[in-house]
């Protein structure tokens, strides 16, 4: 209590307590299947002003707000957070400006974020009590521990997923979708190295090379992952994701180009013993002043790696598509704004439309989406599946529907447990359709099939399609496996401005490139 005017007692300001995501074990743990369980008795909950003297949401120096991973295995989420640090517009979309700071009279102990969930920005509010060990943040934190945008966003994300433990192991691409409202692309670096001299597949627009990342670094969030470490770099860890914070192309004294990538480890500690480590012999290949300048840029947890080492030691790259201020996707390859977007819901239903992959006789029963392209177009097609766990009940407590109690934990078994293996297939429909003597469309070879990863939230492909009609078929791997999904199609339509009201109906009919037919 405190004294009011005339000495009458005034009740102290009550701070918000989120009863739907309480400061208790139910918000920390899902099934105690991860190493996090060993800290169960030691974790306490504190508000920022109980952790440090002068908490701030954002720092003055951008580096002070960079991500640092704690005890939680959510490097995949932290790497996606780097996208917000590249775009003030995205940051304001996810963390709305104007939230009271801890020194304001309006402060009530709540924090609000927006998370993209299947076509909509969902506003999520929670209190600002954060998990701590010995009085310090035990999960994510910024380089300066008096900056709190990251641990508060992590708490909101944990609420969306059901618990902090649900964030242990995941895909950077999934978090990028949730934090940007856009899409992400994953490059398998082993395939990239093997196919460097080969042609891109039919219908494909991209020519994927590490050097292409040079042109994307300022527009995109780029991360890389190690799935299983090689003998030469065990210090990189296993099932671990990193942020690609910069790329530089240098010249050796002989005139040979050298591509260097600056990698940020969310663990925040040194972890690289390759040729381009500090003091490594790789730096002898470039000008001494240039080497000193690049080494001076390294922050805590960062290191430089050369292209050949990168392809050898890392397994994949994940790139978030740029999102314009108007909210449109931008092509990775041509920088075109894909401003015409449609999201189409669908479902695999047992006995009706759950036909499984192309090896199964029931494949033709899968849902089918028709796409008509009136002129050669760059088209992005993605299948985004809903997780099999119930993501969130905003009116009450999140309920997990995945029952699989695991007695022992490993990254491989925990990662992607809420998603099934799905694929995306596109056929071009020949003029005149399936005439006599022509095999049914689904028995023909598709223009492209995209089944790059098991247990990922989405599979996608950007391709250059000639004018014509196409059939898009999303599938699961196993038949009779139920699930819900969204097919997203994005393209750019260039049309001259309409000067005549009489032409409006005809022009709109031309622009409408899509019709949906469910089998």
């Amino acid at each position: 209590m405190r004294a009011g005017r005339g000495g009458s007692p005034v009740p102290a300001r009550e701070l918000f307590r989120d009863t739907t995501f309480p400061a208790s074990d139910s918000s920390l743990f899902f099934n105690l299947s991860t190493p996090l369980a060993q800290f169960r008795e030691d974790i306490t909950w504190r508000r920022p002003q109980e952790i440090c003297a002068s908490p701030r949401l954002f720092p003055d120096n951008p580096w002070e707000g960079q991500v640092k991973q704690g005890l939680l295995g959510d490097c995949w989420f932290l790497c996606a957070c780097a996208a917000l640090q590249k775009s003030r517009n995205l940051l304001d979309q996810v963390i709305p400006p104007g939230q009271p700071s801890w020194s304001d009279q309006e402060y009530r102990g709540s924090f609000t974020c927006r998370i993209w969930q299947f076509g909509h920005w969902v506003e999520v509010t929670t209190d600002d009590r954060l998990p701590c060990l010995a009085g310090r943040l035990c999960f994510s934190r910024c380089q300066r521990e008096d900056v709190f945008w990251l641990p508060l966003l992590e708490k909101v994300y944990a609420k969306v997923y059901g618990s902090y433990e649900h964030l242990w192991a995941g895909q950077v691409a999934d978090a990028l979708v949730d934090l940007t409202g856009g899409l992400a692309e994953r490059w398998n670096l082993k395939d990239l190295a093997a196919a460097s001299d080969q042609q891109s597949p039919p219908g494909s627009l991209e020519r994927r090379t590490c050097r292409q990342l040079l042109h994307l670094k300022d527009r995109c969030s780029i991360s890389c992952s190690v799935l299983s470490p090689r003998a030469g770099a065990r210090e990189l860890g296993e099932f671990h994701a990193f942020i690609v914070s910069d790329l530089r192309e240098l010249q050796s004294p002989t005139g040979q180009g050298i591509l260097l990538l600056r990698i940020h480890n969310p663990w925040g500690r040194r972890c690289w013993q390759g040729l381009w480590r500090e003091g490594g012999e790789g730096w002898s290949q470039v000008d001494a002043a240039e080497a000193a300048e690049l080494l001076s840029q390294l922050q805590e947890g960062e290191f430089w790696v050369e292209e050949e080492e990168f392809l050898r030691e890392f397994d994949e790259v994940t790139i978030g598509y740029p999102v314009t201020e108007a909210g449109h996707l931008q092509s990775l390859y041509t920088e075109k704004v894909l401003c015409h977007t449609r999201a189409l819901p669908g479902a695999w239903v047992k006995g009706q439309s759950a036909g499984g992959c192309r090896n199964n006789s029931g494949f033709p029963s899968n849902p089918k989406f028709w796409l008509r392209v009136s002129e050669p177009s760059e088209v992005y097609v993605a299948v985004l599946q809903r997780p099999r766990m119930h993501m969130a009940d905003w009116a009450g407590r999140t309920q997990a529907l995945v029952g699989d109690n695991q007695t022992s934990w490993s990254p491989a078994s925990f990662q992607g447990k809420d998603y099934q293996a799905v694929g995306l297939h596109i056929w071009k429909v020949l003029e005149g359709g399936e005439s006599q003597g022509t095999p049914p469309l689904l028995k023909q070879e598709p223009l492209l099939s995209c089944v790059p990863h098991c247990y990922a939230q989405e599979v996608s492909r950007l391709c250059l399609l000639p004018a014509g009609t196409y059939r898009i078929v999303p599938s699961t791997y196993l038949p009779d496996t139920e699930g819900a999904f969204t097919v997203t199609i994005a393209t750019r339509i260039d049309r001259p401005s309409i000067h005549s009201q009489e032409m409006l109906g005809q022009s709109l009919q031309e622009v409408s490139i899509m019709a949906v037919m469910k089998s």
Side-chain angles (χ1 to χ4, degrees), residues 91-155:
L91 183 64
D92 289 346
Q93 178 65 256
V94 173
I95 303 177
Q99 304 196 51
S101 71
W102 291 272
S103 59
D104 292 343
Q105 286 294 317
E106 296 82 10
Y107 166 71
R108 291 294 181 269
S110 63
F111 180 71
T112 298
C113 285
R114 300 188 194 105
I115 305 295
W116 181 264
Q117 292 289 283
F118 297 96
H120 304 282
W121 286 105
V122 177
E123 200 160 89
V124 187
T125 298
T126 186
D127 63 43
D128 61 357
R129 293 177 292 176
L130 297 167
C132 294
L133 275 176
R136 295 181 64 193
L137 291 168
C138 60
F139 298 149
S140 78
R141 56 189 181 276
C142 294
Q143 293 291 347
R144 278 192 60 121
E145 293 189 35
D146 60 352
V147 175
F148 285 91
W149 75 270
L150 181 65
L152 288 168
L153 176 57
E154 181 185 53
K155 181 176 183 180

Side-chain angles (χ1 to χ4, degrees), residues 50-94:
E50 298 169 334
I51 298 172
C52 66
S54 302
R56 299 177 289 163
L57 194 56
F58 298 108
D60 299 323
N61 180 343
W63 178 81
E64 294 175 347
Q66 281 194 341
V67 305
K68 196 168 183 178
Q69 187 177 353
L71 296 175
L72 189 62
D74 63 347
C75 55
W76 59 286
F77 164 71
L78 301 182
C79 286
C81 288
L84 305 184
Q85 296 176 298
K86 277 184 172 285
S87 168
R88 184 74 207 188
N89 183 60
L90 272 178
L91 183 64
D92 289 346
Q93 178 65 256
V94 173

Side-chain angles (χ1 to χ4, degrees), residues 472-501:
I472 300 167
V473 182
S475 70
T476 59
Y477 180 68
L478 296 174
D480 293 329
T481 305
E482 297 201 322
F485 62 85
T486 300
V487 169
T488 298
I489 303 174
T491 190
R492 176 188 179 93
I493 297 178
D494 294 307
R495 285 285 188 272
S497 57
I498 298 170
H499 300 291
S500 166
Q501 188 69 29

